């Protein structure tokens, strides 16, 4: 029963993480390129004020629950959960060492002016964003597989597992 609860938490947490990153990548990212630069910088800087604690919490919940599932399972489930844990960790590292430093620059630009190479820096931010979105999405898929695939060694009997 504990493994089922952990699976549910891990799937939900990674799903929320992938969904939040996905929304940003599919909706906000392209929109940022279509609005005037000063609007983009102001909005981006303000968004990060709320986004930072929310996304950090989502990454922590996804990482901890995936790790807990890794420790509670065996065989293929453990391998999938471990892969998800590593991918969520990768999302965190990309965010921390890729996006966050650029977010700090954007915050400064919003109150002053952007440098001449701002477009290159913003494209790099987009690359980091697509990377962390992809790793979070793959982690979510791995955990969904652990939740819906039959357990290794268990025959499909028509009964629902407890």
């Amino acid at each position: 029963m504990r493994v089922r609860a952990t699976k549910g938490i891990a799937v939900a947490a990674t799903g929320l993480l992938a969904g939040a990153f996905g929304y940003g990548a599919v909706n906000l990212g392209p929109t940022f390129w279509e609005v005037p630069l000063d609007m983009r910088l102001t909005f981006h800087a303000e968004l990060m004020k709320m986004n930072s604690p929310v996304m950090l919490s989502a990454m922590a919940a996804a990482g901890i629950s995936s790790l807990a599932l890794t420790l509670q399972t065996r065989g293929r489930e453990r391998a999938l959960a471990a892969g998800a844990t590593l991918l969520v960790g990768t999302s965190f590292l990309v965010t921390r060492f890729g996006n966050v430093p650029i977010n700090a620059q954007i915050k400064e630009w919003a109150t002053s002016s952007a440098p001449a190479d701002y477009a290159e820096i913003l494209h790099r931010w987009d690359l980091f964003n697509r990377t962390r979105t992809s790793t979070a999405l793959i982690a979510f898929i791995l955990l969904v597989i652990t939740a819906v695939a039959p357990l290794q060694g268990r025959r499909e009997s028509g009964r629902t597992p407890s």
Side-chain angles (χ1 to χ4, degrees), residues 39-122:
M39 182 184 294
R40 176 190 180 149
L41 298 178
T42 301
F43 183 79
H44 191 115
E46 287 300 313
L47 180 65
M48 291 308 113
K49 287 180 185 176
M50 181 54 92
N51 210 34
S52 294
V54 170
M55 295 308 292
L56 183 59
S57 298
M59 283 186 272
I64 291 168
S65 60
S66 297
L67 178 60
L69 187 60
T70 301
L71 298 174
Q72 293 175 5
T73 56
R74 300 278 179 258
R76 184 177 69 104
E77 284 185 301
R78 175 176 270 181
L80 291 169
T85 303
L86 291 173
L87 288 164
V88 169
T90 300
S91 292
F92 171 76
L93 292 173
V94 168
T95 300
R96 174 63 189 95
F97 296 108
N99 296 95
V100 169
I102 296 173
N103 288 343
Q105 290 177 320
I106 291 171
K107 185 177 178 182
E108 289 178 25
W109 302 345
T111 59
S112 60
S113 63
D117 65 340
Y118 77 88
E120 177 186 326
I121 295 168
L122 293 176

Side-chain angles (χ1 to χ4, degrees), residues 10 13-14 20 22 26 33 38 47-48 51-52 55 61 65 71 78 82 96 112 119 129 141 151 154 156-157 162:
T14 58
V26 171
W33 289 105
D38 62 332
L47 180 65
M48 291 308 113
N51 210 34
S52 294
M55 295 308 292
S65 60
L71 298 174
R78 175 176 270 181
R96 174 63 189 95
S112 60
N129 192 49
I141 291 167
L151 296 175
R154 182 183 289 183
E156 297 275 342
S157 64
S162 58

